[in-house]
Amino acid sequence: MRDFLIAGNWKLNGSSAANEALIAGIVAGVPGGSGFSLLVCPPYPYVAAVAAQVAGSAVSVGAQNVSEHESGAYTGEVAASMLADIGCEYVIVGHSERRAIYGESSFQVAAKFQAAQAAGIVPILCVGETLEEREAGTTESVVDYQLGAVLDAAGIGAFARAVVAYEPVWAIGTGMTATPEQAQDVHKHIRAQLSAKDAGIAAGVQILYGGSMKGENAAGLLAMPDIDGGLIGGASLKAKDFLAIAEAAAQS
Ligand code: PEP
């Protein structure tokens, strides 16, 4: 059985003082029980401090991006080995904001995925379609392409140490959540794509849902057989909201 992973993507938000209060609230309110884990992904400058603050708690820390390069003349970039060095356990790769705003290709995302794994960090690979793509009936082919680029580069074996996040772009930050059935259809499809290569690995991969997940809709989404947690933006910025989703995972 797969555990739930409830992951917060703080995006470009936070300050030392605000983060400290947010983490203190989350750590103090982690629900009892087992079968789930919590993760927060602050902006780069705060990863080390948050890692120190969550040490010994049930909360892990990740980053929101990583360079595909190991070292050298890449001004402004952060290497996976550096993230590992400061206590980072996960990294988000291929978030739709990075694909759309910063022009990251699926090949670059695959390189980042591999760079993370080479440093011992678990990549959270985001895939998902835009509203136009959904309306055109191409959701599955879009997701296949994004997933396929990583499968081709890294191989199915790499997914034994990776997380996938299905994030319909039209649901991110919009308040429009995919219904549990809409999300389950795509999660099932993603798992089938992985299963076609290795059923054992596919059965163990955590596939998170992301897109306006909150306390009110989390239980319905997490009840679906192929939804193994959430990647949460807006609702990860307040301890109470994030913990409501953690509570839904603890109860599921
Ligand atoms: C995200 O950015 O990954 C996300 C899912 O954001 P939100 O929860 O705000 O839709």
PDB file of all heavy atoms in Angstrom, residues 97-130:
ATOM      1  N   GLU A  97       4.349  26.298 -14.089  1.00  0.00           N
ATOM      2  CA  GLU A  97       4.793  27.699 -14.118  1.00  0.00           C
ATOM      3  C   GLU A  97       6.197  27.798 -14.698  1.00  0.00           C
ATOM      4  O   GLU A  97       6.533  28.744 -15.398  1.00  0.00           O
ATOM      5  CB  GLU A  97       4.712  28.304 -12.702  1.00  0.00           C
ATOM      6  CG  GLU A  97       3.262  28.536 -12.294  1.00  0.00           C
ATOM      7  CD  GLU A  97       3.012  28.596 -10.801  1.00  0.00           C
ATOM      8  OE1 GLU A  97       3.982  28.656 -10.018  1.00  0.00           O
ATOM      9  OE2 GLU A  97       1.824  28.557 -10.424  1.00  0.00           O
ATOM     10  N   ARG A  98       7.037  26.828 -14.419  1.00  0.00           N
ATOM     11  CA  ARG A  98       8.394  26.845 -14.988  1.00  0.00           C
ATOM     12  C   ARG A  98       8.360  26.496 -16.472  1.00  0.00           C
ATOM     13  O   ARG A  98       9.109  27.051 -17.269  1.00  0.00           O
ATOM     14  CB  ARG A  98       9.318  25.892 -14.218  1.00  0.00           C
ATOM     15  CG  ARG A  98       9.499  26.343 -12.760  1.00  0.00           C
ATOM     16  CD  ARG A  98      10.896  26.143 -12.262  1.00  0.00           C
ATOM     17  NE  ARG A  98      11.877  26.754 -13.103  1.00  0.00           N
ATOM     18  CZ  ARG A  98      12.342  28.017 -12.945  1.00  0.00           C
ATOM     19  NH1 ARG A  98      11.872  28.794 -12.004  1.00  0.00           N
ATOM     20  NH2 ARG A  98      13.271  28.481 -13.751  1.00  0.00           N
ATOM     21  N   ARG A  99       7.471  25.576 -16.838  1.00  0.00           N
ATOM     22  CA  ARG A  99       7.365  25.243 -18.270  1.00  0.00           C
ATOM     23  C   ARG A  99       6.843  26.462 -19.050  1.00  0.00           C
ATOM     24  O   ARG A  99       7.364  26.807 -20.111  1.00  0.00           O
ATOM     25  CB  ARG A  99       6.406  24.061 -18.475  1.00  0.00           C
ATOM     26  CG  ARG A  99       6.911  22.718 -17.908  1.00  0.00           C
ATOM     27  CD  ARG A  99       5.887  21.621 -18.192  1.00  0.00           C
ATOM     28  NE  ARG A  99       6.093  20.394 -17.458  1.00  0.00           N
ATOM     29  CZ  ARG A  99       6.684  19.296 -17.951  1.00  0.00           C
ATOM     30  NH1 ARG A  99       7.132  19.280 -19.186  1.00  0.00           N
ATOM     31  NH2 ARG A  99       6.800  18.207 -17.217  1.00  0.00           N
ATOM     32  N   ALA A 100       5.800  27.139 -18.492  1.00  0.00           N
ATOM     33  CA  ALA A 100       5.147  28.218 -19.243  1.00  0.00           C
ATOM     34  C   ALA A 100       5.911  29.542 -19.158  1.00  0.00           C
ATOM     35  O   ALA A 100       6.094  30.224 -20.160  1.00  0.00           O
ATOM     36  CB  ALA A 100       3.721  28.395 -18.734  1.00  0.00           C
ATOM     37  N   ILE A 101       6.364  29.898 -17.958  1.00  0.00           N
ATOM     38  CA  ILE A 101       6.956  31.232 -17.784  1.00  0.00           C
ATOM     39  C   ILE A 101       8.439  31.223 -18.166  1.00  0.00           C
ATOM     40  O   ILE A 101       8.952  32.181 -18.712  1.00  0.00           O
ATOM     41  CB  ILE A 101       6.777  31.722 -16.326  1.00  0.00           C
ATOM     42  CG1 ILE A 101       5.295  31.731 -15.941  1.00  0.00           C
ATOM     43  CG2 ILE A 101       7.390  33.115 -16.135  1.00  0.00           C
ATOM     44  CD1 ILE A 101       5.015  31.952 -14.464  1.00  0.00           C
ATOM     45  N   TYR A 102       9.128  30.126 -17.848  1.00  0.00           N
ATOM     46  CA  TYR A 102      10.574  30.076 -18.085  1.00  0.00           C
ATOM     47  C   TYR A 102      10.950  29.185 -19.263  1.00  0.00           C
ATOM     48  O   TYR A 102      12.138  28.947 -19.503  1.00  0.00           O
ATOM     49  CB  TYR A 102      11.298  29.639 -16.801  1.00  0.00           C
ATOM     50  CG  TYR A 102      11.021  30.619 -15.691  1.00  0.00           C
ATOM     51  CD1 TYR A 102      10.072  30.349 -14.710  1.00  0.00           C
ATOM     52  CD2 TYR A 102      11.637  31.865 -15.671  1.00  0.00           C
ATOM     53  CE1 TYR A 102       9.753  31.276 -13.735  1.00  0.00           C
ATOM     54  CE2 TYR A 102      11.332  32.808 -14.703  1.00  0.00           C
ATOM     55  CZ  TYR A 102      10.386  32.500 -13.736  1.00  0.00           C
ATOM     56  OH  TYR A 102      10.073  33.440 -12.781  1.00  0.00           O
ATOM     57  N   GLY A 103       9.948  28.701 -19.973  1.00  0.00           N
ATOM     58  CA  GLY A 103      10.196  27.952 -21.210  1.00  0.00           C
ATOM     59  C   GLY A 103      10.926  26.640 -21.026  1.00  0.00           C
ATOM     60  O   GLY A 103      11.626  26.182 -21.927  1.00  0.00           O
ATOM     61  N   GLU A 104      10.786  26.010 -19.870  1.00  0.00           N
ATOM     62  CA  GLU A 104      11.475  24.726 -19.672  1.00  0.00           C
ATOM     63  C   GLU A 104      10.847  23.650 -20.544  1.00  0.00           C
ATOM     64  O   GLU A 104       9.633  23.444 -20.514  1.00  0.00           O
ATOM     65  CB  GLU A 104      11.412  24.302 -18.193  1.00  0.00           C
ATOM     66  CG  GLU A 104      12.342  25.101 -17.327  1.00  0.00           C
ATOM     67  CD  GLU A 104      12.411  24.580 -15.882  1.00  0.00           C
ATOM     68  OE1 GLU A 104      11.902  23.488 -15.574  1.00  0.00           O
ATOM     69  OE2 GLU A 104      12.980  25.312 -15.056  1.00  0.00           O
ATOM     70  N   SER A 105      11.671  22.963 -21.294  1.00  0.00           N
ATOM     71  CA  SER A 105      11.179  21.888 -22.160  1.00  0.00           C
ATOM     72  C   SER A 105      11.111  20.588 -21.363  1.00  0.00           C
ATOM     73  O   SER A 105      11.727  20.456 -20.300  1.00  0.00           O
ATOM     74  CB  SER A 105      12.134  21.696 -23.342  1.00  0.00           C
ATOM     75  OG  SER A 105      13.348  21.139 -22.860  1.00  0.00           O
ATOM     76  N   SER A 106      10.421  19.618 -21.923  1.00  0.00           N
ATOM     77  CA  SER A 106      10.345  18.316 -21.262  1.00  0.00           C
ATOM     78  C   SER A 106      11.723  17.656 -21.199  1.00  0.00           C
ATOM     79  O   SER A 106      11.992  16.851 -20.296  1.00  0.00           O
ATOM     80  CB  SER A 106       9.347  17.410 -21.980  1.00  0.00           C
ATOM     81  OG  SER A 106       8.040  17.831 -21.679  1.00  0.00           O
ATOM     82  N   PHE A 107      12.596  18.000 -22.151  1.00  0.00           N
ATOM     83  CA  PHE A 107      13.950  17.426 -22.135  1.00  0.00           C
ATOM     84  C   PHE A 107      14.767  18.027 -20.990  1.00  0.00           C
ATOM     85  O   PHE A 107      15.523  17.337 -20.304  1.00  0.00           O
ATOM     86  CB  PHE A 107      14.634  17.658 -23.489  1.00  0.00           C
ATOM     87  CG  PHE A 107      13.844  17.051 -24.609  1.00  0.00           C
ATOM     88  CD1 PHE A 107      13.021  17.832 -25.394  1.00  0.00           C
ATOM     89  CD2 PHE A 107      13.861  15.676 -24.829  1.00  0.00           C
ATOM     90  CE1 PHE A 107      12.236  17.267 -26.394  1.00  0.00           C
ATOM     91  CE2 PHE A 107      13.083  15.094 -25.819  1.00  0.00           C
ATOM     92  CZ  PHE A 107      12.267  15.892 -26.604  1.00  0.00           C
ATOM     93  N   GLN A 108      14.589  19.331 -20.790  1.00  0.00           N
ATOM     94  CA  GLN A 108      15.279  19.996 -19.669  1.00  0.00           C
ATOM     95  C   GLN A 108      14.734  19.461 -18.342  1.00  0.00           C
ATOM     96  O   GLN A 108      15.495  19.226 -17.397  1.00  0.00           O
ATOM     97  CB  GLN A 108      15.038  21.502 -19.781  1.00  0.00           C
ATOM     98  CG  GLN A 108      15.991  22.354 -18.969  1.00  0.00           C
ATOM     99  CD  GLN A 108      15.721  23.834 -19.166  1.00  0.00           C
ATOM    100  OE1 GLN A 108      14.843  24.240 -19.936  1.00  0.00           O
ATOM    101  NE2 GLN A 108      16.469  24.651 -18.453  1.00  0.00           N
ATOM    102  N   VAL A 109      13.435  19.267 -18.296  1.00  0.00           N
ATOM    103  CA  VAL A 109      12.821  18.717 -17.078  1.00  0.00           C
ATOM    104  C   VAL A 109      13.403  17.330 -16.800  1.00  0.00           C
ATOM    105  O   VAL A 109      13.741  16.996 -15.653  1.00  0.00           O
ATOM    106  CB  VAL A 109      11.279  18.661 -17.222  1.00  0.00           C
ATOM    107  CG1 VAL A 109      10.653  17.890 -16.067  1.00  0.00           C
ATOM    108  CG2 VAL A 109      10.699  20.070 -17.320  1.00  0.00           C
ATOM    109  N   ALA A 110      13.565  16.536 -17.856  1.00  0.00           N
ATOM    110  CA  ALA A 110      14.145  15.193 -17.680  1.00  0.00           C
ATOM    111  C   ALA A 110      15.577  15.291 -17.148  1.00  0.00           C
ATOM    112  O   ALA A 110      15.985  14.500 -16.279  1.00  0.00           O
ATOM    113  CB  ALA A 110      14.116  14.436 -19.004  1.00  0.00           C
ATOM    114  N   ALA A 111      16.326  16.266 -17.634  1.00  0.00           N
ATOM    115  CA  ALA A 111      17.712  16.436 -17.163  1.00  0.00           C
ATOM    116  C   ALA A 111      17.732  16.856 -15.694  1.00  0.00           C
ATOM    117  O   ALA A 111      18.578  16.402 -14.906  1.00  0.00           O
ATOM    118  CB  ALA A 111      18.434  17.464 -18.034  1.00  0.00           C
ATOM    119  N   LYS A 112      16.789  17.690 -15.297  1.00  0.00           N
ATOM    120  CA  LYS A 112      16.705  18.109 -13.896  1.00  0.00           C
ATOM    121  C   LYS A 112      16.315  16.912 -13.016  1.00  0.00           C
ATOM    122  O   LYS A 112      16.829  16.752 -11.906  1.00  0.00           O
ATOM    123  CB  LYS A 112      15.664  19.241 -13.746  1.00  0.00           C
ATOM    124  CG  LYS A 112      16.129  20.547 -14.364  1.00  0.00           C
ATOM    125  CD  LYS A 112      15.106  21.648 -14.209  1.00  0.00           C
ATOM    126  CE  LYS A 112      15.664  22.938 -14.810  1.00  0.00           C
ATOM    127  NZ  LYS A 112      15.317  24.131 -14.055  1.00  0.00           N
ATOM    128  N   PHE A 113      15.382  16.120 -13.509  1.00  0.00           N
ATOM    129  CA  PHE A 113      14.954  14.907 -12.797  1.00  0.00           C
ATOM    130  C   PHE A 113      16.170  14.017 -12.540  1.00  0.00           C
ATOM    131  O   PHE A 113      16.389  13.534 -11.417  1.00  0.00           O
ATOM    132  CB  PHE A 113      13.923  14.201 -13.692  1.00  0.00           C
ATOM    133  CG  PHE A 113      13.342  12.915 -13.172  1.00  0.00           C
ATOM    134  CD1 PHE A 113      12.058  12.876 -12.634  1.00  0.00           C
ATOM    135  CD2 PHE A 113      14.037  11.720 -13.271  1.00  0.00           C
ATOM    136  CE1 PHE A 113      11.493  11.678 -12.195  1.00  0.00           C
ATOM    137  CE2 PHE A 113      13.486  10.524 -12.835  1.00  0.00           C
ATOM    138  CZ  PHE A 113      12.209  10.511 -12.284  1.00  0.00           C
ATOM    139  N   GLN A 114      16.986  13.822 -13.567  1.00  0.00           N
ATOM    140  CA  GLN A 114      18.168  12.953 -13.422  1.00  0.00           C
ATOM    141  C   GLN A 114      19.218  13.584 -12.504  1.00  0.00           C
ATOM    142  O   GLN A 114      19.866  12.885 -11.723  1.00  0.00           O
ATOM    143  CB  GLN A 114      18.765  12.667 -14.797  1.00  0.00           C
ATOM    144  CG  GLN A 114      17.875  11.754 -15.632  1.00  0.00           C
ATOM    145  CD  GLN A 114      18.497  11.432 -16.976  1.00  0.00           C
ATOM    146  OE1 GLN A 114      18.483  12.255 -17.884  1.00  0.00           O
ATOM    147  NE2 GLN A 114      19.082  10.259 -17.091  1.00  0.00           N
ATOM    148  N   ALA A 115      19.367  14.900 -12.613  1.00  0.00           N
ATOM    149  CA  ALA A 115      20.351  15.585 -11.749  1.00  0.00           C
ATOM    150  C   ALA A 115      19.947  15.436 -10.282  1.00  0.00           C
ATOM    151  O   ALA A 115      20.791  15.197  -9.405  1.00  0.00           O
ATOM    152  CB  ALA A 115      20.446  17.065 -12.136  1.00  0.00           C
ATOM    153  N   ALA A 116      18.667  15.560 -10.011  1.00  0.00           N
ATOM    154  CA  ALA A 116      18.188  15.411  -8.632  1.00  0.00           C
ATOM    155  C   ALA A 116      18.511  14.013  -8.120  1.00  0.00           C
ATOM    156  O   ALA A 116      19.099  13.849  -7.033  1.00  0.00           O
ATOM    157  CB  ALA A 116      16.674  15.665  -8.570  1.00  0.00           C
ATOM    158  N   GLN A 117      18.158  13.018  -8.910  1.00  0.00           N
ATOM    159  CA  GLN A 117      18.391  11.637  -8.453  1.00  0.00           C
ATOM    160  C   GLN A 117      19.878  11.343  -8.269  1.00  0.00           C
ATOM    161  O   GLN A 117      20.260  10.624  -7.343  1.00  0.00           O
ATOM    162  CB  GLN A 117      17.776  10.653  -9.440  1.00  0.00           C
ATOM    163  CG  GLN A 117      16.259  10.613  -9.320  1.00  0.00           C
ATOM    164  CD  GLN A 117      15.654   9.414  -9.986  1.00  0.00           C
ATOM    165  OE1 GLN A 117      16.182   8.924 -10.984  1.00  0.00           O
ATOM    166  NE2 GLN A 117      14.541   8.940  -9.469  1.00  0.00           N
ATOM    167  N   ALA A 118      20.696  11.905  -9.123  1.00  0.00           N
ATOM    168  CA  ALA A 118      22.140  11.670  -9.005  1.00  0.00           C
ATOM    169  C   ALA A 118      22.666  12.193  -7.675  1.00  0.00           C
ATOM    170  O   ALA A 118      23.667  11.705  -7.149  1.00  0.00           O
ATOM    171  CB  ALA A 118      22.874  12.322 -10.176  1.00  0.00           C
ATOM    172  N   ALA A 119      21.979  13.199  -7.114  1.00  0.00           N
ATOM    173  CA  ALA A 119      22.402  13.768  -5.829  1.00  0.00           C
ATOM    174  C   ALA A 119      21.638  13.146  -4.661  1.00  0.00           C
ATOM    175  O   ALA A 119      21.774  13.594  -3.514  1.00  0.00           O
ATOM    176  CB  ALA A 119      22.190  15.284  -5.851  1.00  0.00           C
ATOM    177  N   GLY A 120      20.811  12.143  -4.952  1.00  0.00           N
ATOM    178  CA  GLY A 120      20.082  11.475  -3.868  1.00  0.00           C
ATOM    179  C   GLY A 120      18.815  12.188  -3.458  1.00  0.00           C
ATOM    180  O   GLY A 120      18.260  11.923  -2.382  1.00  0.00           O
ATOM    181  N   ILE A 121      18.346  13.100  -4.299  1.00  0.00           N
ATOM    182  CA  ILE A 121      17.107  13.843  -4.003  1.00  0.00           C
ATOM    183  C   ILE A 121      15.963  13.232  -4.809  1.00  0.00           C
ATOM    184  O   ILE A 121      16.140  12.875  -5.978  1.00  0.00           O
ATOM    185  CB  ILE A 121      17.288  15.336  -4.362  1.00  0.00           C
ATOM    186  CG1 ILE A 121      18.361  15.958  -3.455  1.00  0.00           C
ATOM    187  CG2 ILE A 121      15.978  16.094  -4.250  1.00  0.00           C
ATOM    188  CD1 ILE A 121      18.669  17.404  -3.767  1.00  0.00           C
ATOM    189  N   VAL A 122      14.797  13.131  -4.189  1.00  0.00           N
ATOM    190  CA  VAL A 122      13.638  12.550  -4.876  1.00  0.00           C
ATOM    191  C   VAL A 122      12.962  13.633  -5.720  1.00  0.00           C
ATOM    192  O   VAL A 122      12.469  14.631  -5.175  1.00  0.00           O
ATOM    193  CB  VAL A 122      12.619  11.982  -3.857  1.00  0.00           C
ATOM    194  CG1 VAL A 122      11.391  11.435  -4.581  1.00  0.00           C
ATOM    195  CG2 VAL A 122      13.269  10.916  -2.992  1.00  0.00           C
ATOM    196  N   PRO A 123      12.925  13.455  -7.038  1.00  0.00           N
ATOM    197  CA  PRO A 123      12.220  14.446  -7.867  1.00  0.00           C
ATOM    198  C   PRO A 123      10.709  14.241  -7.812  1.00  0.00           C
ATOM    199  O   PRO A 123      10.233  13.103  -7.781  1.00  0.00           O
ATOM    200  CB  PRO A 123      12.754  14.173  -9.284  1.00  0.00           C
ATOM    201  CG  PRO A 123      13.248  12.770  -9.263  1.00  0.00           C
ATOM    202  CD  PRO A 123      13.580  12.408  -7.840  1.00  0.00           C
ATOM    203  N   ILE A 124       9.984  15.353  -7.796  1.00  0.00           N
ATOM    204  CA  ILE A 124       8.519  15.320  -7.928  1.00  0.00           C
ATOM    205  C   ILE A 124       8.233  15.865  -9.322  1.00  0.00           C
ATOM    206  O   ILE A 124       8.341  17.073  -9.567  1.00  0.00           O
ATOM    207  CB  ILE A 124       7.834  16.183  -6.850  1.00  0.00           C
ATOM    208  CG1 ILE A 124       8.204  15.690  -5.440  1.00  0.00           C
ATOM    209  CG2 ILE A 124       6.318  16.183  -7.047  1.00  0.00           C
ATOM    210  CD1 ILE A 124       7.644  16.546  -4.302  1.00  0.00           C
ATOM    211  N   LEU A 125       7.933  14.977 -10.240  1.00  0.00           N
ATOM    212  CA  LEU A 125       7.758  15.350 -11.646  1.00  0.00           C
ATOM    213  C   LEU A 125       6.315  15.790 -11.898  1.00  0.00           C
ATOM    214  O   LEU A 125       5.382  14.995 -11.753  1.00  0.00           O
ATOM    215  CB  LEU A 125       8.086  14.146 -12.541  1.00  0.00           C
ATOM    216  CG  LEU A 125       7.702  14.294 -14.012  1.00  0.00           C
ATOM    217  CD1 LEU A 125       8.519  15.396 -14.690  1.00  0.00           C
ATOM    218  CD2 LEU A 125       7.861  12.964 -14.744  1.00  0.00           C
ATOM    219  N   CYS A 126       6.153  17.073 -12.268  1.00  0.00           N
ATOM    220  CA  CYS A 126       4.813  17.599 -12.533  1.00  0.00           C
ATOM    221  C   CYS A 126       4.461  17.456 -14.007  1.00  0.00           C
ATOM    222  O   CYS A 126       5.270  17.777 -14.882  1.00  0.00           O
ATOM    223  CB  CYS A 126       4.740  19.078 -12.178  1.00  0.00           C
ATOM    224  SG  CYS A 126       5.095  19.430 -10.460  1.00  0.00           S
ATOM    225  N   VAL A 127       3.261  16.982 -14.248  1.00  0.00           N
ATOM    226  CA  VAL A 127       2.734  16.887 -15.613  1.00  0.00           C
ATOM    227  C   VAL A 127       1.294  17.390 -15.579  1.00  0.00           C
ATOM    228  O   VAL A 127       0.645  17.357 -14.529  1.00  0.00           O
ATOM    229  CB  VAL A 127       2.767  15.427 -16.149  1.00  0.00           C
ATOM    230  CG1 VAL A 127       4.195  14.897 -16.232  1.00  0.00           C
ATOM    231  CG2 VAL A 127       1.919  14.482 -15.290  1.00  0.00           C
ATOM    232  N   GLY A 128       0.806  17.855 -16.717  1.00  0.00           N
ATOM    233  CA  GLY A 128      -0.593  18.287 -16.747  1.00  0.00           C
ATOM    234  C   GLY A 128      -0.901  19.115 -17.974  1.00  0.00           C
ATOM    235  O   GLY A 128      -0.005  19.715 -18.569  1.00  0.00           O
ATOM    236  N   GLU A 129      -2.175  19.139 -18.296  1.00  0.00           N
ATOM    237  CA  GLU A 129      -2.622  19.787 -19.527  1.00  0.00           C
ATOM    238  C   GLU A 129      -3.215  21.163 -19.259  1.00  0.00           C
ATOM    239  O   GLU A 129      -3.714  21.430 -18.168  1.00  0.00           O
ATOM    240  CB  GLU A 129      -3.650  18.895 -20.233  1.00  0.00           C
ATOM    241  CG  GLU A 129      -5.093  18.991 -19.716  1.00  0.00           C
ATOM    242  CD  GLU A 129      -5.307  18.359 -18.345  1.00  0.00           C
ATOM    243  OE1 GLU A 129      -4.360  17.815 -17.759  1.00  0.00           O
ATOM    244  OE2 GLU A 129      -6.462  18.427 -17.839  1.00  0.00           O
ATOM    245  N   THR A 130      -3.207  22.016 -20.281  1.00  0.00           N
ATOM    246  CA  THR A 130      -3.891  23.309 -20.193  1.00  0.00           C
ATOM    247  C   THR A 130      -5.380  23.096 -20.474  1.00  0.00           C
ATOM    248  O   THR A 130      -5.787  22.018 -20.927  1.00  0.00           O
ATOM    249  CB  THR A 130      -3.340  24.297 -21.246  1.00  0.00           C
ATOM    250  OG1 THR A 130      -3.616  23.755 -22.541  1.00  0.00           O
ATOM    251  CG2 THR A 130      -1.849  24.533 -21.088  1.00  0.00           C
TER     252      THR A 130
END
